[in-house]
């Protein structure tokens, strides 16, 4: 099955998402890739001096502590880190972190996107990068830093968030290709920074570092970890963007398979051999992001389970401690397709009282207002499924290639109601699993670099053998067609309100 017999080496995959993080030990025995979660810890942005920021030092403390515990337990051949995309940190000339990285959900990025469109136009933004024009892109945070603060005055190097951890682990001052490709300032087609665009936006380019390919061995672990429990451990930069790692760990069953990496965000797309930047992809606002071994992920960012996460936090503040299982059970009892929202509307980007925002959106657009918890959750699930349908249609129209199935990985793959709704909405079979695709992809890239696995195809065979998939078959109903038309109207209106071409 694999390129060579497994030697039983263990690698450490550090996987950090917007809601939580974990350190995972992955061991390959020649047939299966077994994962052992060393520990989990919460994550989230918090306001500091009026700006949402990530608590990097706290996260690093958790990572360092758990890697040390793992290293004391067994030898670790290598370590690599994947995180969410788009955000960056700034280093001083001496390599220290200037401040905590800012969060893509901060309202300043909404203003900065409008400013950028006013300066160069959406067409120029897209043509230079092939990147979806969306408020979360790092280029808009950098534009705000350059035009409205003095934050860049003390900065020497910009690193994407996964690169900040690799810097702490190895001293590396470079960014990894898949992470850079999410920034909105990197041309995935050429593999270079879009310096012409940044010059037009009057954003300094001297901060941009070298870009390295996923799977690059950047040297041994340094510092206290390297002198102690991780002595001899290599730092192998995996696919630094967590969705790129999840796609690496997706066992596609054949041609025409779409992927959904389902977590705080739902990233839905198709894996290709090259970037696709055309009038059709521009009009549909599809993004080209880097993948492993020269692949490109043509996809769309969908707001994802963030909507339910924020609803759950609000209900907890109101005294109702509901699990995700509880929420799905309540939603299952509600009639489908009663209330529809566009999950990517700017209304839902920032933290806050999400149930009230969903109700206000429905009222503003003439839909029945979901009053109960179950009705709100049903509204979110149906709206996500319809957005997946619209995305699938846009991907097929842009590429000319038919879609045959959808492969869902990540935490959202455990949501049976959403999986069935996705199958019903799209008319495609939905294969769910593995839940741990991101950690599998991260570890798999390290194992390829170590010579334990031969290549990407070999890794996916191992992933398929290491777990089970659950399939949901579509059920036909014309109600989904009518609801899909309603969603398209909402998407167009919301895009036009943001200064984008509706579609």
């Amino acid at each position: 099955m694999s390129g060579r017999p497994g030697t039983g080496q263990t690698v450490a995959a550090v996987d950090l998402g917007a809601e939580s993080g974990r350190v995972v030990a992955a061991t390959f025995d020649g047939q299966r890739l077994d994962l052992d979660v060393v520990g989990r810890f919460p994550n989230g942005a918090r306001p500091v001096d009026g700006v949402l920021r990530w608590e990097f030092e706290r996260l690093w403390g958790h990572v360092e502590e758990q890697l040390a515990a793992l290293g004391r337990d067994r030898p670790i051949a290598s370590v690599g880190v994947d995180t969410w995309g788009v955000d960056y940190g700034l280093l001083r000339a001496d390599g220290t972190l200037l401040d905590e990285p800012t969060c893509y959900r901060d309202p300043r990025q909404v203003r900065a996107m409008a400013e950028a469109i006013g300066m160069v136009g959406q067409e120029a933004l897209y043509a230079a990068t092939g990147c979806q024009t969306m408020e979360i892109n790092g280029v808009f945070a950098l534009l705000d830093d350059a035009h409205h603060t003095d934050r860049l005055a003390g900065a020497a190097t910009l690193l994407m968030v996964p690169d900040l951890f690799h810097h702490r682990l190895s001293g590396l001052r470079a960014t990894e290709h898949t992470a850079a490709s999410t920034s909105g300032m990197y041309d995935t087609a050429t593999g270079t920074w879009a310096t012409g665009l940044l010059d037009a936006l009057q954003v300094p380019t001297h901060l941009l570092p070298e870009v390295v390919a996923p799977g690059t061995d950047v040297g041994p672990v340094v510092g206290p970890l390297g002198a102690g429990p991780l002595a001899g451990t290599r730092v192998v930069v995996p696919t630094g963007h967590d969705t790129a790692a999840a796609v690496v760990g997706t066992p596609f069953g054949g041609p025409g398979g779409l992927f959904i990496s389902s977590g705080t965000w739902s990233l839905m797309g198709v894996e290709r051999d090259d970037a696709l930047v055309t009038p059709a992809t521009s009009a549909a606002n599809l993004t080209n992001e880097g993948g492993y071994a020269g692949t490109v992920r043509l996809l769309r960012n969908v707001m994802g389970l963030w909507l339910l996460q924020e609803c759950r936090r609000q209900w907890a503040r109101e005294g109702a401690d509901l699990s995700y299982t509880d929420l799905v059970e309540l939603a299952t009892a509600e009639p489908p397709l009663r209330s529809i929202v566009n999950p990517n509307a700017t209304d839902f980007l920032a933290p806050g009282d999400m149930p009230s925002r969903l109700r206000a959106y429905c009222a503003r657009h003439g839909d029945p207002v979901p009053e109960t918890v179950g009705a709100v959750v049903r509204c979110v699930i149906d709206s996500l499924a319809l957005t997946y349908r619209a995305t699938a249609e846009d991907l097929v129209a842009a590429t000319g290639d038919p879609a045959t199935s959808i492969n869902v990985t990540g935490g959202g793959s455990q949501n049976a109601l959403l999986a069935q709704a996705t199958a019903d909405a799209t008319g495609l079979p939905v294969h769910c699993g593995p839940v741990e695709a991101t950690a599998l992809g991260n570890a798999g890239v390290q194992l390829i670099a170590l010579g334990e696995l031969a290549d990407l195809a070999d890794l996916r065979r191992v992933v398929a053998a290491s777990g089970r998939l659950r399939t949901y078959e579509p059920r036909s109903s014309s109600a989904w067609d009518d609801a899909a038309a309603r969603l398209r109207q909402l998407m167009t209106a919301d895009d036009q309100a943001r200064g984008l071409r509706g579609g």
Side-chain angles (χ1 to χ4, degrees):
M1 174 181 293
S2 62
R4 63 183 66 186
T7 62
Q9 288 191 98
T10 296
V11 301
V14 180
D15 174 29
L16 305 176
E19 189 178 37
S20 64
R22 68 262 181 86
V23 173
V24 179
T27 305
F28 178 56
D29 65 4
Q31 298 294 324
R32 293 173 54 88
L33 187 55
D34 292 320
L35 302 182
D36 177 18
V37 178
V38 180
R40 300 178 186 270
F41 43 89
N43 188 26
R46 64 185 182 92
V48 179
D49 297 328
V51 177
L52 279 177
R53 295 181 183 270
W54 300 104
E55 297 180 272
F56 176 82
E57 296 297 345
R58 182 183 64 81
L59 289 175
W60 169 250
H62 285 299
V63 170
E64 187 176 36
E65 177 184 11
Q66 293 187 11
L67 286 176
L70 179 58
R72 287 190 290 268
D73 179 66
R74 69 189 94 168
I76 304 301
S78 67
V79 58
V81 182
D82 68 77
T83 78
W84 65 96
V86 305
D87 286 329
Y88 59 82
L90 298 169
L91 299 182
R92 299 183 180 91
D94 64 1
T96 58
L97 190 63
L98 181 70
D99 54 19
E100 301 274 49
T102 61
C103 175
Y104 58 82
R105 293 194 186 278
D106 192 85
R108 73 191 186 120
Q109 300 204 193
V110 177
R111 299 188 298 268
M113 188 180 84
E115 180 181 358
I117 292 174
M119 292 178 69
V120 301
Q122 183 189 358
E123 293 83 357
L125 289 169
Y126 192 84
T129 63
C131 188
Q132 176 182 358
T133 307
M134 196 169 184
E135 292 87 350
I136 65 173
N137 294 350
V139 64
F140 302 128
L142 190 60
L143 185 147
D144 185 80
D145 283 340
H147 293 191
H148 304 291
T149 75
D150 59 359
R151 186 175 180 229
L152 301 185
T157 307
L158 178 151
L159 295 180
M160 303 301 289
V161 170
D163 311 314
L164 294 175
F165 289 91
H166 292 129
H167 176 259
R168 287 284 174 94
L169 286 166
S170 70
L172 178 72
R173 289 205 204 190
T175 191
E176 183 273 330
H177 169 68
T178 69
S181 73
T182 69
S183 65
M185 45 190 165
Y186 183 82
D187 185 352
T188 303
T190 62
T192 59
W193 293 106
T195 54
L197 171 66
L198 296 178
D199 287 342
L201 291 173
Q202 301 170 23
V203 170
T205 59
H206 68 276
L207 301 174
L208 302 177
E210 173 193 1
V211 179
V212 299
T216 300
D217 184 330
V218 298
V221 174
V222 300
L225 286 174
L230 294 189
T233 300
R234 309 295 295 181
V235 179
V236 175
V237 176
T239 40
H241 184 211
D242 54 7
T243 300
V247 173
V248 167
T250 298
F252 292 103
L258 305 179
F259 64 79
I260 300 177
S261 176
S262 180
T264 299
W265 287 88
S266 291
L267 290 93
M268 181 177 187
V270 62
E271 187 176 66
R272 293 174 47 84
D273 292 331
D274 51 18
L276 188 64
V277 182
T278 66
T281 62
S282 176
N285 208 14
L286 298 173
T287 195
N288 290 271
E289 294 181 355
Y292 179 66
T295 59
V296 174
R297 295 167 293 124
L298 181 68
L299 61 87
R300 176 176 290 149
N301 287 274
V302 178
M303 201 74 77
L305 296 178
W306 162 256
L307 298 174
L308 289 185
Q309 292 166 0
E310 277 299 284
C311 283
R312 185 167 173 256
R313 281 188 276 268
Q314 180 60 32
W315 289 323
R317 287 190 287 268
E318 295 171 359
D321 186 11
L322 299 165
S323 69
Y324 289 114
T325 300
D326 295 333
L327 297 181
V328 170
E329 288 180 357
L330 290 170
T332 302
E334 296 289 334
L337 302 175
R338 185 172 179 267
S339 306
I340 301 298
V341 302
N342 171 20
N344 277 352
T346 307
D347 308 52
F348 310 128
L349 181 61
D353 185 350
M354 195 63 69
S356 293
R357 293 182 192 172
L358 290 161
R359 293 180 181 118
Y361 185 98
C362 289
R364 188 166 75 247
H365 290 279
D367 262 23
V369 175
E371 297 293 351
T372 66
V373 168
V376 168
V377 177
R378 186 80 210 204
C379 169
V380 170
I381 286 175
D382 289 347
S383 299
L384 286 175
L386 288 166
T387 306
Y388 300 155
R389 169 176 170 150
T391 302
E393 291 171 346
D394 290 345
L395 286 164
V396 169
T399 63
D401 299 324
T404 58
S405 64
I406 298 174
N407 301 77
V408 183
T409 60
S413 67
Q414 301 177 95
N415 188 323
L417 183 61
L418 178 57
Q420 187 61 62
T422 301
D424 296 343
T426 62
L428 297 171
V430 172
H431 308 299
C432 289
V435 176
E436 302 289 353
T438 303
L440 288 166
N442 178 327
V445 169
Q446 295 184 58
L447 289 166
I448 293 171
L450 294 172
E452 290 284 288
L453 293 168
D455 53 24
L456 180 57
D458 193 24
L459 168 58
R460 284 176 173 157
R461 285 192 292 271
V462 170
V463 169
S466 300
R468 293 182 178 179
L469 304 182
R470 182 173 180 181
T471 297
Y472 296 82
E473 297 292 342
R475 302 171 303 193
S476 177
S477 170
S478 61
W480 288 100
D481 298 332
D482 296 337
R486 287 163 54 202
L487 176 69
R488 284 285 187 185
Q489 293 174 345
L490 295 174
M491 291 171 63
T492 298
D494 289 333
D495 281 352
Q496 290 173 346
R498 294 160 64 205
L500 305 177
R501 296 182 306 279

